[in-house]
Amino acid sequence: MGAVPSTPRHTSTTAETAEYLIGTFVGEKSFPLASDFWQKLLELPLTLRWSSYRVQQACELFAQNNHHTRHLAKILIHLSWCLQEAVRTSGAPSVVYLKAINAVYFSSVFLKYIVENSQSDNIEELCLSLLENEPVPKDFMTDQRIENLLMHNVLTFLGSIDVSPTTSLLHQELLNFMLVVMSTQLLSGPTPGPKDVNPFLDAAMSQESLLVSSVVRRLLLNYIMRPRLPSSTAASYSIFSEENQPGVLQRVGSAAANFVLLPFNYLVNSNSEGSRNQLADCSLHVLLVLIHYHKCVVSDESVTDRSDDSASTDPVSKVNTYFTVNPYSKALENARDIEFDRADIEGNAQNGPVVRLPFASLFDTLGMCLADETAVLLLYSLVQGNSDFLEYVLVRTDLDTLLMPILETLYSASRRTSNQIYMLLIILLILSQDSSFNASIHKMILPGVPWYKEHLLHQTSLGSLMVIILIRTVQYNLSKLRDVYLHTTCLATLANMAPHVHRLSAYASQRLVSLFYMLSRKYNKLVELRDDKLQTKAISTGDGLVEDMSAELQIYTDFLRIVLEILNAILTYALPRNPEVVYAIMHRQEVFQPFKSHPRFAELLENIYNVLDFFNSRMDAQRMDGEWSVEKVLLFIINNCRSWRGEGMKMFTQLHFSYEQESHPEEFFIPYVWQLVLSRCGFSFNADAITLFPVGMHANVSL
């Protein structure tokens, strides 16, 4: 398709007309905005079949000619006008929506091709402006930026038009389009800098707060309500191809890295990650990209401060750059429960428009979908950033709705990504910062846990299950991931829970003591390795390895101390309520013996041995016919717990860990969000063009 097809005769078929119009669109001739060419193009039924090779040529030809035709800018303007008309005539003729859908299709395919094949640092090939001598309609404001016009109208449609059988297809394609225009982030490095070029994302960030709030609300409602695209919608558009006969734009999409994935085809896919729904999933993808975007700009101070040349080249230097406020993130943080009294909502109005959502439905939807990483990231974003939603979660009496899928996912950690494990553990840590949460999870009794295979868990409290899974995660990490941050998060959560433990199960108590034993074995191995290296240091060329071992040894010393503090907290504040913990310590008391004289552990072990002495002495004093059985020992402990007064116990300050994000969380979250989007949305991208990956960043846990 190297040349533009000739103009078809009056007797030409629809296919010939479509071939001519699309060929003209990608060709050398420039058509002004007011030309009737655009109406003919956008009213095509698009039943033309092209081979992927021809479509690839069409994309290449379009990219070559766009600089002087400015057809991308023009079709984006026409898309904006179509959306304006669709908003004005909501529920009106389907031809309005058909034109808009066609405009979205064309824009998506060719814009994406240009973005992922761009050779310039600032994606100049987009040419998002009209030439100076370009004739325009009288009412067209030539000084407006096309990306701002476009994003205003796209977001206005998404935020103001309800999803219905008439509008659902256009909603879906606009969400796909949003991912395309925001994919410029994939061309930036993992650390946002002032030279990053994201024209459409920046335009989205510049919209007024009322529009932003309406978009955030609509995207979340789509996720909650999960509207289906009716099959009648698919049948009404000829772009929906029959089996093995894709329409022209689906072929274009295939050639341009398989972008266009038609809704009807998507509905046949399903898995165990909740009820998959394309409109809901795509809404969440768009929301996650929007809320985690960070625009880096140069600060005014950097203009006069030239004292440090290296600082001026650092894209995240605190002296020279800063991040602008993200209005979508703020809107999510300020979202309120729709069940709240309106007066309360109005009382918060000084911070801008408030997004009102049905928290109950959002809670239930998240519980249904937490096997999917995107749902986990949304839950994290809510509990970390929205205090109202966190409070709502904490007062729910059915915490198992969220906790059971979280714990089941952690149970199958070997089949999950490390990022998903981190997010889930951080969520648990955030929840454990609340004392009422720690108390309530022990009051909820689970009749059974069928997915836990190592041990029969019958009539186990939710709190005991959480202890078991956290310890199991530490064990998995010791053998597989070996990530210090993961250890820290698990132990921090257990430490927050410890003073509130109530009737911890026998199995959970055993696992808690075994946790100390597991970590002590790792500690002893490190000591042996360090000592061996110190003995051979004379023939070594350096002591870097010894220093690394010493640092790791210090980390595991801290871990062992935290476990001892967890046991201390249970024994100090909740011993009478936890006879199984006492039994587990008595049963494995030999594991503590090697550490009695350790300077970091001695005072904590004094308390543990104080408890052991109390119960051991009474056991020795009690005459017993026959052997001490497990049942008899446990009954003995329960009876003697009543006379326990805690005499001689040294009181330690309770450990309380809280979660804090790193100072630059965007270095982790932006690449992570796009990894999730690209793996789920049917949207692939030229891998050679992506500079956003890989990245490795973890958040902080602070005491």
Side-chain angles (χ1 to χ4, degrees), residues 514-526:
S514 295
L515 174 61
F516 181 84
Y517 178 65
M518 279 191 295
L519 293 172
S520 68
R521 288 182 60 187
K522 176 70 173 179
Y523 172 88
N524 290 331
K525 186 176 181 181
L526 287 170

Side-chain angles (χ1 to χ4, degrees), residues 9 70 78 81 91 125 147 257 291 324 339 355 405 409 432 442 475 523 525 580 666:
R9 299 181 301 274
R70 302 297 169 109
H78 276 279
W81 291 344
E125 295 91 339
E147 57 267 36
I291 64 174
T324 58
E339 299 298 328
V355 177
T409 303
S432 74
H442 289 283
Q475 185 178 16
Y523 172 88
K525 186 176 181 181
E580 294 285 4
E666 68 284 344

Side-chain angles (χ1 to χ4, degrees), residues 336-345 356 359 388 391-392:
R336 299 292 180 263
D337 190 359
I338 201 169
E339 299 298 328
F340 270 19
D341 183 78
R342 183 170 296 276
D344 180 83
I345 298 296
R356 302 186 71 211
F359 278 6
D388 280 59
E391 183 180 343
Y392 175 84

Side-chain angles (χ1 to χ4, degrees), residues 57-77:
Q57 281 193 317
C59 289
E60 293 172 358
L61 192 60
F62 180 84
Q64 292 170 15
N65 294 323
N66 183 54
H67 179 72
H68 67 268
T69 65
R70 302 297 169 109
H71 277 182
L72 178 60
K74 292 172 186 176
I75 198 167
L76 293 178
I77 292 171

Side-chain angles (χ1 to χ4, degrees), residues 527-600:
V527 170
E528 291 176 7
L529 288 172
R530 184 199 59 181
D531 292 345
D532 289 345
K533 290 297 178 183
L534 285 173
Q535 290 175 7
T536 59
K537 184 178 176 183
I539 59 173
S540 175
T541 57
D543 60 356
L545 185 59
V546 174
E547 291 178 359
D548 289 343
M549 286 184 179
S550 297
E552 190 174 4
L553 186 61
Q554 181 60 47
I555 289 170
Y556 277 88
T557 303
D558 292 340
F559 288 162
L560 283 171
R561 182 175 173 88
I562 292 175
V563 176
L564 289 176
E565 296 217 40
I566 290 169
L567 292 170
N568 259 270
I570 296 174
L571 298 177
T572 303
Y573 299 102
L575 185 148
R577 303 193 303 271
N578 292 282
E580 294 285 4
V581 176
V582 176
Y583 178 89
I585 291 174
M586 292 180 67
H587 183 65
R588 299 289 304 277
Q589 53 190 287
E590 74 280 355
V591 304
F592 303 106
Q593 184 66 36
F595 299 95
K596 284 188 71 173
S597 59
H598 193 291
R600 290 289 307 280

Side-chain angles (χ1 to χ4, degrees), residues 408-409 411-417 420 476:
E408 184 177 2
T409 303
Y411 176 78
S412 59
S414 61
R415 301 196 299 272
R416 307 296 176 177
T417 68
Q420 185 175 11
Y476 170 73

Side-chain angles (χ1 to χ4, degrees), residues 399-433:
L399 280 167
D400 56 317
T401 300
L402 284 185
L403 287 184
M404 288 301 284
I406 290 176
L407 297 177
E408 184 177 2
T409 303
L410 289 174
Y411 176 78
S412 59
S414 61
R415 301 196 299 272
R416 307 296 176 177
T417 68
S418 58
N419 286 340
Q420 185 175 11
I421 296 171
Y422 295 139
M423 289 292 100
L424 291 169
L425 291 175
I426 291 170
I427 290 168
L428 293 181
L429 175 58
I430 292 172
L431 296 175
S432 74
Q433 293 169 198

